[in-house]
Amino acid sequence: MKKIMIIGAGFMGTGIAQICAQSGYRVHLVDNSEPALQKARTQISHSLHKLFAKGQLAEHPPAILERIHLGQDYGDAAQMHWIIEAVVEDESTKRNLFKNLDRLAAESVPLATNTSSIPITRLAAGLRFPERVLGLHFFGPVPLMGLVEVVRGDKTGTAVFEKGISLVKSLGKKPVGVSRDIPGFVMNRIFSAAFRECLELVDAGVASFKDIDEGMRLGYGWNVGPFEIADNAGIDTFLNVSRSLRSLGEHHLVSDSKILEDLAADGRLGRKTGRGFYSYDADGRKK
Ligand code: NAD
């Protein structure tokens, strides 16, 4: 049975771990925070039981959970067939991690990043084997979203890119290849440009965030409005991605609005804290 290590057990890493285990892989989910690991286990168990009750799982949840091992260090990277990092969106954190993984993991093991904004080439710079680094940009909530961008850095090897496409297919997702390594890749650039305008319209008092969400659902067929997406993804993650895009020179994709900063300063990080643009009950339902 193939083993996949996922580093970062937050919103994205938890979802990636779940679908990998659901697809039959043995998963090592690593985070440097014990509470994050415990929350991940609870979240995965809850999600699997819900899917099972709806008849959408072929196996009983305990059999899937049994394939997930939780831990605080990535020392057993040498035994893995794939490593996917989904730690916080911070270039130096990700680069340090890849430097260590480059030393620990066998040369043949692909190192994937779930970064939303940082070019793969920058994360692979200075590694012994930069050809094994690629982007696997999942969308959240991972168990529900069908798309994964597979991103080629300047040095990503063709065999590694093809392995990425195969892995994504084996997880029941649709891979979309991104052949130029630019900040934010494709989908996040488009979303960021739209979201910048959404924030500025709210800031200028032209429309409320609720009306914009409803407008994008009813007028453009989005399943989820842009501010609902921000709450789902995490206001802190959105802020990190905005800072990252700005630092990479992509100013036109980022708003000067202080709305996100104000929410974060108030502890309103979205669903994860029960309040963001919207408020949520204990079961995560929008109030
Ligand atoms: P998150 O804040 O929910 O989780 C990040 C996790 O990383 C935390 O549990 C934290 O404890 C852990 N962590 C931080 N540094 C670590 C380290 N050095 N070693 C081990 N664990 C560490 O963030 P998230 O929303 O899951 O985002 C993770 C990555 O996925 C980011 O790069 C983000 O840009 C990207 N991403 C996020 C979304 C989204 O919708 N939130 C979508 C696509 C991609």
Side-chain angles (χ1 to χ4, degrees):
M1 192 184 293
K2 290 223 162 151
K3 292 183 188 164
I4 303 188
M5 177 175 277
I6 293 142
I7 306 177
F11 176 58
M12 295 304 291
T14 297
I16 298 168
Q18 178 180 327
I19 56 146
C20 288
Q22 265 176 243
S23 307
Y25 293 98
R26 190 159 280 286
V27 172
H28 285 233
L29 180 57
V30 176
D31 199 290
N32 57 11
S33 150
E34 186 58 33
L37 290 168
Q38 292 319 321
K39 191 172 163 199
R41 177 170 292 280
T42 306
Q43 169 64 41
I44 293 172
S45 171
H46 182 71
S47 173
L48 290 175
H49 280 93
K50 255 170 59 181
L51 289 171
F52 189 73
K54 288 187 194 161
Q56 292 174 4
L57 283 185
E59 274 180 298
H60 284 97
I64 298 173
L65 283 167
E66 192 275 323
R67 287 199 285 276
I68 303 178
H69 167 87
L70 304 175
Q72 281 196 54
D73 75 79
Y74 43 84
D76 45 6
Q79 277 88 56
M80 299 297 134
H81 298 97
W82 263 97
I83 300 180
I84 303 173
E85 77 75 20
V87 302
V88 66
E89 188 77 349
D90 173 73
E91 185 168 334
S92 70
T93 306
K94 288 185 190 289
R95 285 187 74 160
N96 275 337
L97 185 58
F98 273 157
K99 223 162 82 191
N100 291 334
L101 292 171
D102 192 41
R103 194 168 36 81
L104 291 170
E107 185 185 335
S108 60
V109 173
L111 303 182
T113 171
N114 187 47
T115 176
S116 307
S117 62
I118 307 164
I120 311 310
T121 309
R122 293 174 72 98
L123 297 176
L127 299 189
R128 289 187 305 158
F129 308 116
E131 62 281 2
R132 60 154 143 186
V133 181
L134 80 166
L136 288 183
H137 184 214
F138 290 83
F139 288 73
V142 180
L144 303 182
M145 305 305 279
L147 174 71
V148 182
E149 286 180 307
V150 182
V151 189
R152 216 186 242 280
D154 289 355
K155 297 206 170 149
T156 305
T158 296
V160 170
F161 182 79
E162 294 303 333
K163 271 190 183 179
I165 299 274
S166 301
L167 176 71
V168 170
K169 286 184 181 163
S170 76
L171 300 175
K173 307 284 183 200
K174 162 89 182 155
V176 169
V178 177
S179 41
R180 249 192 78 202
D181 187 23
I182 54 174
F185 318 119
V186 176
M187 304 305 165
N188 252 8
R189 291 181 74 86
I190 296 170
F191 180 81
S192 297
F195 195 61
R196 180 208 58 207
E197 188 61 22
C198 293
L199 287 171
E200 288 178 6
L201 289 169
V202 172
D203 242 1
V206 177
S208 71
F209 69 83
K210 285 185 185 166
D211 282 349
I212 292 177
D213 273 351
E214 195 164 24
M216 295 310 288
R217 276 191 258 104
L218 298 178
Y220 281 92
W222 287 28
N223 284 333
V224 187
F227 294 96
E228 293 168 318
I229 291 176
D231 266 6
N232 289 344
I235 302 301
D236 50 345
T237 297
F238 260 46
L239 272 171
N240 288 337
V241 172
S242 301
R243 287 188 195 113
S244 171
L245 285 171
R246 205 189 283 280
S247 77
L248 293 162
E250 305 290 336
H251 301 275
H252 63 295
L253 297 177
V254 185
S255 168
D256 288 332
S257 159
K258 294 283 171 263
I259 295 177
L260 296 181
E261 269 105 335
D262 291 347
L263 285 175
D266 203 17
R268 291 167 60 174
L269 302 183
R271 255 177 211 284
K272 64 174 89 171
T273 55
R275 275 192 331 150
F277 285 100
Y278 298 91
S279 295
Y280 303 87
D281 67 19
D283 290 325
R285 274 188 294 265
K286 197 151 58 126
K287 283 190 194 164

mmCIF file of all heavy atoms in Angstrom, residues 120-166:
data_model
loop_
_atom_site.group_PDB
_atom_site.id
_atom_site.type_symbol
_atom_site.label_atom_id
_atom_site.label_comp_id
_atom_site.label_asym_id
_atom_site.label_seq_id
_atom_site.Cartn_x
_atom_site.Cartn_y
_atom_site.Cartn_z
ATOM 1 N N ILE A 120 6.447 27.650 -7.675
ATOM 2 C CA ILE A 120 7.104 26.374 -7.319
ATOM 3 C C ILE A 120 8.628 26.525 -7.439
ATOM 4 O O ILE A 120 9.386 25.996 -6.630
ATOM 5 C CB ILE A 120 6.613 25.249 -8.274
ATOM 6 C CG1 ILE A 120 5.080 25.241 -8.384
ATOM 7 C CG2 ILE A 120 7.182 23.900 -7.885
ATOM 8 C CD1 ILE A 120 4.337 25.256 -7.083
ATOM 9 N N THR A 121 9.059 27.272 -8.449
ATOM 10 C CA THR A 121 10.486 27.444 -8.716
ATOM 11 C C THR A 121 11.194 28.057 -7.503
ATOM 12 O O THR A 121 12.332 27.694 -7.185
ATOM 13 C CB THR A 121 10.656 28.356 -9.955
ATOM 14 O OG1 THR A 121 9.829 27.819 -10.991
ATOM 15 C CG2 THR A 121 12.091 28.416 -10.425
ATOM 16 N N ARG A 122 10.515 28.977 -6.817
ATOM 17 C CA ARG A 122 11.118 29.616 -5.639
ATOM 18 C C ARG A 122 11.250 28.605 -4.498
ATOM 19 O O ARG A 122 12.221 28.622 -3.747
ATOM 20 C CB ARG A 122 10.266 30.796 -5.160
ATOM 21 C CG ARG A 122 10.248 31.941 -6.128
ATOM 22 C CD ARG A 122 9.283 33.009 -5.666
ATOM 23 N NE ARG A 122 9.747 33.744 -4.511
ATOM 24 C CZ ARG A 122 10.353 34.926 -4.555
ATOM 25 N NH1 ARG A 122 10.561 35.506 -5.715
ATOM 26 N NH2 ARG A 122 10.723 35.529 -3.452
ATOM 27 N N LEU A 123 10.248 27.720 -4.361
ATOM 28 C CA LEU A 123 10.283 26.748 -3.263
ATOM 29 C C LEU A 123 11.320 25.649 -3.526
ATOM 30 O O LEU A 123 11.841 25.042 -2.594
ATOM 31 C CB LEU A 123 8.891 26.143 -3.045
ATOM 32 C CG LEU A 123 7.808 27.153 -2.626
ATOM 33 C CD1 LEU A 123 6.449 26.473 -2.526
ATOM 34 C CD2 LEU A 123 8.161 27.815 -1.289
ATOM 35 N N ALA A 124 11.607 25.420 -4.814
ATOM 36 C CA ALA A 124 12.562 24.353 -5.171
ATOM 37 C C ALA A 124 13.998 24.873 -5.226
ATOM 38 O O ALA A 124 14.946 24.077 -5.302
ATOM 39 C CB ALA A 124 12.167 23.762 -6.531
ATOM 40 N N ALA A 125 14.167 26.204 -5.162
ATOM 41 C CA ALA A 125 15.507 26.795 -5.336
ATOM 42 C C ALA A 125 16.462 26.287 -4.263
ATOM 43 O O ALA A 125 16.105 26.234 -3.083
ATOM 44 C CB ALA A 125 15.412 28.318 -5.277
ATOM 45 N N GLY A 126 17.654 25.881 -4.687
ATOM 46 C CA GLY A 126 18.699 25.473 -3.744
ATOM 47 C C GLY A 126 18.571 24.037 -3.265
ATOM 48 O O GLY A 126 19.391 23.566 -2.487
ATOM 49 N N LEU A 127 17.542 23.310 -3.718
ATOM 50 C CA LEU A 127 17.411 21.911 -3.280
ATOM 51 C C LEU A 127 18.335 21.017 -4.101
ATOM 52 O O LEU A 127 18.725 21.360 -5.218
ATOM 53 C CB LEU A 127 15.968 21.432 -3.432
ATOM 54 C CG LEU A 127 14.897 22.168 -2.622
ATOM 55 C CD1 LEU A 127 13.566 21.438 -2.711
ATOM 56 C CD2 LEU A 127 15.321 22.320 -1.161
ATOM 57 N N ARG A 128 18.627 19.849 -3.554
ATOM 58 C CA ARG A 128 19.492 18.908 -4.286
ATOM 59 C C ARG A 128 18.784 18.391 -5.519
ATOM 60 O O ARG A 128 19.377 18.189 -6.567
ATOM 61 C CB ARG A 128 19.822 17.696 -3.395
ATOM 62 C CG ARG A 128 20.756 18.001 -2.259
ATOM 63 C CD ARG A 128 21.162 16.733 -1.547
ATOM 64 N NE ARG A 128 20.008 15.958 -1.092
ATOM 65 C CZ ARG A 128 20.035 14.656 -0.822
ATOM 66 N NH1 ARG A 128 21.148 13.967 -0.998
ATOM 67 N NH2 ARG A 128 18.965 14.031 -0.381
ATOM 68 N N PHE A 129 17.449 18.139 -5.389
ATOM 69 C CA PHE A 129 16.702 17.541 -6.500
ATOM 70 C C PHE A 129 15.473 18.393 -6.836
ATOM 71 O O PHE A 129 14.335 17.984 -6.564
ATOM 72 C CB PHE A 129 16.267 16.118 -6.133
ATOM 73 C CG PHE A 129 17.388 15.245 -5.655
ATOM 74 C CD1 PHE A 129 17.402 14.763 -4.359
ATOM 75 C CD2 PHE A 129 18.436 14.917 -6.506
ATOM 76 C CE1 PHE A 129 18.438 13.958 -3.903
ATOM 77 C CE2 PHE A 129 19.480 14.123 -6.062
ATOM 78 C CZ PHE A 129 19.487 13.642 -4.752
ATOM 79 N N PRO A 130 15.674 19.575 -7.413
ATOM 80 C CA PRO A 130 14.534 20.485 -7.667
ATOM 81 C C PRO A 130 13.546 19.916 -8.680
ATOM 82 O O PRO A 130 12.386 20.323 -8.705
ATOM 83 C CB PRO A 130 15.197 21.758 -8.214
ATOM 84 C CG PRO A 130 16.543 21.327 -8.681
ATOM 85 C CD PRO A 130 16.955 20.145 -7.853
ATOM 86 N N GLU A 131 13.991 18.932 -9.461
ATOM 87 C CA GLU A 131 13.110 18.362 -10.497
ATOM 88 C C GLU A 131 11.948 17.566 -9.887
ATOM 89 O O GLU A 131 10.972 17.268 -10.553
ATOM 90 C CB GLU A 131 13.902 17.486 -11.492
ATOM 91 C CG GLU A 131 14.595 16.269 -10.914
ATOM 92 C CD GLU A 131 15.919 16.575 -10.197
ATOM 93 O OE1 GLU A 131 16.305 17.754 -10.098
ATOM 94 O OE2 GLU A 131 16.554 15.610 -9.731
ATOM 95 N N ARG A 132 12.056 17.233 -8.573
ATOM 96 C CA ARG A 132 10.973 16.439 -7.975
ATOM 97 C C ARG A 132 9.923 17.319 -7.277
ATOM 98 O O ARG A 132 9.019 16.814 -6.630
ATOM 99 C CB ARG A 132 11.540 15.440 -6.983
ATOM 100 C CG ARG A 132 12.295 16.114 -5.846
ATOM 101 C CD ARG A 132 12.285 15.240 -4.657
ATOM 102 N NE ARG A 132 13.508 15.276 -3.889
ATOM 103 C CZ ARG A 132 13.703 14.476 -2.866
ATOM 104 N NH1 ARG A 132 12.796 13.593 -2.526
ATOM 105 N NH2 ARG A 132 14.809 14.544 -2.182
ATOM 106 N N VAL A 133 10.062 18.643 -7.385
ATOM 107 C CA VAL A 133 9.124 19.541 -6.703
ATOM 108 C C VAL A 133 8.048 20.000 -7.694
ATOM 109 O O VAL A 133 8.351 20.402 -8.825
ATOM 110 C CB VAL A 133 9.862 20.764 -6.121
ATOM 111 C CG1 VAL A 133 8.889 21.679 -5.387
ATOM 112 C CG2 VAL A 133 10.974 20.305 -5.182
ATOM 113 N N LEU A 134 6.789 19.926 -7.267
ATOM 114 C CA LEU A 134 5.670 20.371 -8.119
ATOM 115 C C LEU A 134 4.575 20.962 -7.243
ATOM 116 O O LEU A 134 4.583 20.784 -6.021
ATOM 117 C CB LEU A 134 5.116 19.219 -8.962
ATOM 118 C CG LEU A 134 4.162 18.232 -8.299
ATOM 119 C CD1 LEU A 134 3.461 17.400 -9.370
ATOM 120 C CD2 LEU A 134 4.875 17.310 -7.345
ATOM 121 N N GLY A 135 3.660 21.661 -7.881
ATOM 122 C CA GLY A 135 2.507 22.170 -7.150
ATOM 123 C C GLY A 135 1.327 21.242 -7.333
ATOM 124 O O GLY A 135 1.027 20.815 -8.453
ATOM 125 N N LEU A 136 0.677 20.893 -6.216
ATOM 126 C CA LEU A 136 -0.627 20.212 -6.287
ATOM 127 C C LEU A 136 -1.563 21.136 -5.540
ATOM 128 O O LEU A 136 -1.588 21.131 -4.297
ATOM 129 C CB LEU A 136 -0.584 18.825 -5.630
ATOM 130 C CG LEU A 136 0.173 17.724 -6.372
ATOM 131 C CD1 LEU A 136 0.043 16.394 -5.624
ATOM 132 C CD2 LEU A 136 -0.320 17.559 -7.802
ATOM 133 N N HIS A 137 -2.244 21.976 -6.279
ATOM 134 C CA HIS A 137 -3.067 23.020 -5.650
ATOM 135 C C HIS A 137 -4.511 22.527 -5.549
ATOM 136 O O HIS A 137 -5.286 22.622 -6.499
ATOM 137 C CB HIS A 137 -2.957 24.318 -6.473
ATOM 138 C CG HIS A 137 -3.691 25.451 -5.851
ATOM 139 N ND1 HIS A 137 -4.318 26.420 -6.580
ATOM 140 C CD2 HIS A 137 -3.909 25.756 -4.547
ATOM 141 C CE1 HIS A 137 -4.893 27.286 -5.749
ATOM 142 N NE2 HIS A 137 -4.655 26.908 -4.527
ATOM 143 N N PHE A 138 -4.813 21.990 -4.370
ATOM 144 C CA PHE A 138 -6.170 21.503 -4.079
ATOM 145 C C PHE A 138 -7.057 22.696 -3.749
ATOM 146 O O PHE A 138 -6.577 23.751 -3.343
ATOM 147 C CB PHE A 138 -6.152 20.570 -2.864
ATOM 148 C CG PHE A 138 -5.489 19.232 -3.112
ATOM 149 C CD1 PHE A 138 -4.111 19.092 -3.042
ATOM 150 C CD2 PHE A 138 -6.253 18.111 -3.408
ATOM 151 C CE1 PHE A 138 -3.500 17.857 -3.261
ATOM 152 C CE2 PHE A 138 -5.657 16.880 -3.627
ATOM 153 C CZ PHE A 138 -4.284 16.751 -3.550
ATOM 154 N N PHE A 139 -8.347 22.490 -3.862
ATOM 155 C CA PHE A 139 -9.315 23.520 -3.490
ATOM 156 C C PHE A 139 -10.121 23.018 -2.297
ATOM 157 O O PHE A 139 -10.347 21.822 -2.147
ATOM 158 C CB PHE A 139 -10.209 23.865 -4.699
ATOM 159 C CG PHE A 139 -9.434 24.642 -5.735
ATOM 160 C CD1 PHE A 139 -8.483 24.014 -6.525
ATOM 161 C CD2 PHE A 139 -9.601 26.008 -5.873
ATOM 162 C CE1 PHE A 139 -7.704 24.718 -7.425
ATOM 163 C CE2 PHE A 139 -8.840 26.732 -6.778
ATOM 164 C CZ PHE A 139 -7.890 26.092 -7.560
ATOM 165 N N GLY A 140 -10.531 23.959 -1.436
ATOM 166 C CA GLY A 140 -11.223 23.550 -0.209
ATOM 167 C C GLY A 140 -12.707 23.857 -0.248
ATOM 168 O O GLY A 140 -13.110 24.787 -0.937
ATOM 169 N N PRO A 141 -13.503 23.101 0.491
ATOM 170 C CA PRO A 141 -13.163 21.916 1.282
ATOM 171 C C PRO A 141 -12.799 20.743 0.351
ATOM 172 O O PRO A 141 -13.574 20.404 -0.549
ATOM 173 C CB PRO A 141 -14.467 21.604 2.029
ATOM 174 C CG PRO A 141 -15.435 22.726 1.752
ATOM 175 C CD PRO A 141 -14.948 23.454 0.556
ATOM 176 N N VAL A 142 -11.631 20.175 0.605
ATOM 177 C CA VAL A 142 -11.076 19.188 -0.338
ATOM 178 C C VAL A 142 -12.019 18.008 -0.610
ATOM 179 O O VAL A 142 -12.156 17.594 -1.765
ATOM 180 C CB VAL A 142 -9.692 18.691 0.158
ATOM 181 C CG1 VAL A 142 -9.103 17.662 -0.795
ATOM 182 C CG2 VAL A 142 -8.738 19.858 0.320
ATOM 183 N N PRO A 143 -12.718 17.461 0.413
ATOM 184 C CA PRO A 143 -13.578 16.305 0.096
ATOM 185 C C PRO A 143 -14.703 16.660 -0.880
ATOM 186 O O PRO A 143 -15.242 15.776 -1.538
ATOM 187 C CB PRO A 143 -14.154 15.893 1.455
ATOM 188 C CG PRO A 143 -13.155 16.411 2.458
ATOM 189 C CD PRO A 143 -12.656 17.703 1.874
ATOM 190 N N LEU A 144 -15.020 17.955 -0.994
ATOM 191 C CA LEU A 144 -16.148 18.338 -1.849
ATOM 192 C C LEU A 144 -15.734 18.902 -3.202
ATOM 193 O O LEU A 144 -16.529 18.895 -4.149
ATOM 194 C CB LEU A 144 -17.011 19.407 -1.140
ATOM 195 C CG LEU A 144 -17.581 19.043 0.220
ATOM 196 C CD1 LEU A 144 -18.440 20.179 0.761
ATOM 197 C CD2 LEU A 144 -18.421 17.771 0.123
ATOM 198 N N MET A 145 -14.547 19.454 -3.310
ATOM 199 C CA MET A 145 -14.172 20.170 -4.534
ATOM 200 C C MET A 145 -13.424 19.253 -5.491
ATOM 201 O O MET A 145 -12.530 18.516 -5.088
ATOM 202 C CB MET A 145 -13.303 21.393 -4.203
ATOM 203 C CG MET A 145 -13.964 22.336 -3.208
ATOM 204 S SD MET A 145 -15.600 22.884 -3.729
ATOM 205 C CE MET A 145 -15.145 24.160 -4.837
ATOM 206 N N GLY A 146 -13.787 19.346 -6.772
ATOM 207 C CA GLY A 146 -13.294 18.372 -7.748
ATOM 208 C C GLY A 146 -11.976 18.718 -8.423
ATOM 209 O O GLY A 146 -11.413 17.895 -9.127
ATOM 210 N N LEU A 147 -11.474 19.934 -8.210
ATOM 211 C CA LEU A 147 -10.338 20.410 -9.017
ATOM 212 C C LEU A 147 -9.008 20.374 -8.261
ATOM 213 O O LEU A 147 -8.957 20.688 -7.077
ATOM 214 C CB LEU A 147 -10.620 21.875 -9.412
ATOM 215 C CG LEU A 147 -9.510 22.619 -10.138
ATOM 216 C CD1 LEU A 147 -9.337 22.083 -11.556
ATOM 217 C CD2 LEU A 147 -9.804 24.121 -10.188
ATOM 218 N N VAL A 148 -7.942 20.015 -8.980
ATOM 219 C CA VAL A 148 -6.581 20.211 -8.456
ATOM 220 C C VAL A 148 -5.721 20.761 -9.592
ATOM 221 O O VAL A 148 -5.629 20.144 -10.669
ATOM 222 C CB VAL A 148 -5.950 18.892 -7.934
ATOM 223 C CG1 VAL A 148 -4.554 19.162 -7.361
ATOM 224 C CG2 VAL A 148 -6.832 18.240 -6.873
ATOM 225 N N GLU A 149 -5.099 21.932 -9.374
ATOM 226 C CA GLU A 149 -4.137 22.440 -10.357
ATOM 227 C C GLU A 149 -2.807 21.711 -10.140
ATOM 228 O O GLU A 149 -2.327 21.630 -9.000
ATOM 229 C CB GLU A 149 -3.927 23.940 -10.172
ATOM 230 C CG GLU A 149 -5.089 24.780 -10.667
ATOM 231 C CD GLU A 149 -4.847 26.268 -10.457
ATOM 232 O OE1 GLU A 149 -4.533 26.666 -9.317
ATOM 233 O OE2 GLU A 149 -4.981 27.024 -11.414
ATOM 234 N N VAL A 150 -2.257 21.191 -11.223
ATOM 235 C CA VAL A 150 -0.955 20.525 -11.139
ATOM 236 C C VAL A 150 0.036 21.486 -11.805
ATOM 237 O O VAL A 150 -0.057 21.761 -12.997
ATOM 238 C CB VAL A 150 -0.981 19.156 -11.854
ATOM 239 C CG1 VAL A 150 0.369 18.459 -11.712
ATOM 240 C CG2 VAL A 150 -2.090 18.280 -11.265
ATOM 241 N N VAL A 151 0.966 22.005 -10.969
ATOM 242 C CA VAL A 151 1.781 23.134 -11.430
ATOM 243 C C VAL A 151 3.230 22.704 -11.634
ATOM 244 O O VAL A 151 3.847 22.098 -10.752
ATOM 245 C CB VAL A 151 1.730 24.299 -10.415
ATOM 246 C CG1 VAL A 151 2.391 25.540 -11.015
ATOM 247 C CG2 VAL A 151 0.297 24.599 -9.980
ATOM 248 N N ARG A 152 3.737 23.065 -12.788
ATOM 249 C CA ARG A 152 5.106 22.744 -13.156
ATOM 250 C C ARG A 152 6.006 23.936 -12.832
ATOM 251 O O ARG A 152 5.755 25.049 -13.319
ATOM 252 C CB ARG A 152 5.101 22.597 -14.676
ATOM 253 C CG ARG A 152 5.969 21.566 -15.261
ATOM 254 C CD ARG A 152 5.855 21.785 -16.763
ATOM 255 N NE ARG A 152 5.303 20.661 -17.479
ATOM 256 C CZ ARG A 152 5.994 19.585 -17.823
ATOM 257 N NH1 ARG A 152 7.251 19.461 -17.498
ATOM 258 N NH2 ARG A 152 5.419 18.629 -18.506
ATOM 259 N N GLY A 153 7.024 23.729 -12.002
ATOM 260 C CA GLY A 153 8.038 24.766 -11.793
ATOM 261 C C GLY A 153 9.020 24.719 -12.960
ATOM 262 O O GLY A 153 8.964 23.788 -13.783
ATOM 263 N N ASP A 154 9.935 25.695 -13.010
ATOM 264 C CA ASP A 154 10.897 25.734 -14.132
ATOM 265 C C ASP A 154 11.699 24.444 -14.223
ATOM 266 O O ASP A 154 12.108 24.030 -15.300
ATOM 267 C CB ASP A 154 11.873 26.912 -13.957
ATOM 268 C CG ASP A 154 11.175 28.240 -14.189
ATOM 269 O OD1 ASP A 154 9.983 28.225 -14.581
ATOM 270 O OD2 ASP A 154 11.809 29.299 -13.963
ATOM 271 N N LYS A 155 11.948 23.814 -13.053
ATOM 272 C CA LYS A 155 12.799 22.603 -13.079
ATOM 273 C C LYS A 155 12.022 21.316 -12.866
ATOM 274 O O LYS A 155 12.629 20.243 -12.796
ATOM 275 C CB LYS A 155 13.884 22.731 -12.006
ATOM 276 C CG LYS A 155 14.809 23.904 -12.267
ATOM 277 C CD LYS A 155 16.167 23.695 -11.662
ATOM 278 C CE LYS A 155 17.115 24.775 -12.171
ATOM 279 N NZ LYS A 155 18.137 25.112 -11.207
ATOM 280 N N THR A 156 10.696 21.382 -12.721
ATOM 281 C CA THR A 156 9.930 20.148 -12.456
ATOM 282 C C THR A 156 10.135 19.160 -13.610
ATOM 283 O O THR A 156 9.956 19.508 -14.784
ATOM 284 C CB THR A 156 8.416 20.462 -12.322
ATOM 285 O OG1 THR A 156 8.255 21.446 -11.319
ATOM 286 C CG2 THR A 156 7.612 19.225 -11.967
ATOM 287 N N GLY A 157 10.457 17.924 -13.258
ATOM 288 C CA GLY A 157 10.662 16.902 -14.291
ATOM 289 C C GLY A 157 9.335 16.457 -14.891
ATOM 290 O O GLY A 157 8.308 16.455 -14.201
ATOM 291 N N THR A 158 9.377 16.071 -16.160
ATOM 292 C CA THR A 158 8.145 15.635 -16.833
ATOM 293 C C THR A 158 7.564 14.400 -16.139
ATOM 294 O O THR A 158 6.353 14.288 -15.962
ATOM 295 C CB THR A 158 8.455 15.336 -18.321
ATOM 296 O OG1 THR A 158 8.857 16.572 -18.887
ATOM 297 C CG2 THR A 158 7.245 14.810 -19.075
ATOM 298 N N ALA A 159 8.434 13.485 -15.709
ATOM 299 C CA ALA A 159 7.934 12.264 -15.055
ATOM 300 C C ALA A 159 7.216 12.617 -13.751
ATOM 301 O O ALA A 159 6.174 12.023 -13.420
ATOM 302 C CB ALA A 159 9.093 11.310 -14.772
ATOM 303 N N VAL A 160 7.739 13.606 -13.026
ATOM 304 C CA VAL A 160 7.121 14.008 -11.752
ATOM 305 C C VAL A 160 5.765 14.673 -12.022
ATOM 306 O O VAL A 160 4.776 14.409 -11.329
ATOM 307 C CB VAL A 160 8.076 14.953 -10.978
ATOM 308 C CG1 VAL A 160 7.380 15.572 -9.772
ATOM 309 C CG2 VAL A 160 9.311 14.187 -10.549
ATOM 310 N N PHE A 161 5.735 15.524 -13.046
ATOM 311 C CA PHE A 161 4.473 16.181 -13.412
ATOM 312 C C PHE A 161 3.421 15.122 -13.769
ATOM 313 O O PHE A 161 2.278 15.176 -13.311
ATOM 314 C CB PHE A 161 4.741 17.118 -14.601
ATOM 315 C CG PHE A 161 3.530 17.889 -15.051
ATOM 316 C CD1 PHE A 161 3.108 19.013 -14.364
ATOM 317 C CD2 PHE A 161 2.811 17.480 -16.168
ATOM 318 C CE1 PHE A 161 1.979 19.728 -14.776
ATOM 319 C CE2 PHE A 161 1.682 18.177 -16.584
ATOM 320 C CZ PHE A 161 1.269 19.307 -15.882
ATOM 321 N N GLU A 162 3.814 14.140 -14.562
ATOM 322 C CA GLU A 162 2.880 13.066 -14.952
ATOM 323 C C GLU A 162 2.434 12.254 -13.733
ATOM 324 O O GLU A 162 1.272 11.855 -13.633
ATOM 325 C CB GLU A 162 3.528 12.110 -15.977
ATOM 326 C CG GLU A 162 3.833 12.750 -17.333
ATOM 327 C CD GLU A 162 2.602 13.349 -18.018
ATOM 328 O OE1 GLU A 162 1.480 12.878 -17.760
ATOM 329 O OE2 GLU A 162 2.771 14.316 -18.778
ATOM 330 N N LYS A 163 3.356 12.031 -12.796
ATOM 331 C CA LYS A 163 2.982 11.317 -11.563
ATOM 332 C C LYS A 163 1.942 12.126 -10.804
ATOM 333 O O LYS A 163 1.031 11.569 -10.184
ATOM 334 C CB LYS A 163 4.206 11.151 -10.645
ATOM 335 C CG LYS A 163 5.008 9.900 -10.879
ATOM 336 C CD LYS A 163 6.019 9.774 -9.734
ATOM 337 C CE LYS A 163 6.910 8.587 -9.913
ATOM 338 N NZ LYS A 163 7.905 8.448 -8.853
ATOM 339 N N GLY A 164 2.098 13.452 -10.820
ATOM 340 C CA GLY A 164 1.136 14.334 -10.140
ATOM 341 C C GLY A 164 -0.246 14.190 -10.755
ATOM 342 O O GLY A 164 -1.252 14.061 -10.050
ATOM 343 N N ILE A 165 -0.302 14.170 -12.080
ATOM 344 C CA ILE A 165 -1.590 14.013 -12.782
ATOM 345 C C ILE A 165 -2.222 12.674 -12.373
ATOM 346 O O ILE A 165 -3.413 12.603 -12.067
ATOM 347 C CB ILE A 165 -1.373 14.051 -14.326
ATOM 348 C CG1 ILE A 165 -0.777 15.402 -14.768
ATOM 349 C CG2 ILE A 165 -2.638 13.670 -15.084
ATOM 350 C CD1 ILE A 165 -1.736 16.508 -15.029
ATOM 351 N N SER A 166 -1.412 11.612 -12.354
ATOM 352 C CA SER A 166 -1.946 10.284 -12.003
ATOM 353 C C SER A 166 -2.435 10.251 -10.562
ATOM 354 O O SER A 166 -3.484 9.668 -10.270
ATOM 355 C CB SER A 166 -0.884 9.195 -12.139
ATOM 356 O OG SER A 166 -0.427 9.164 -13.432
#
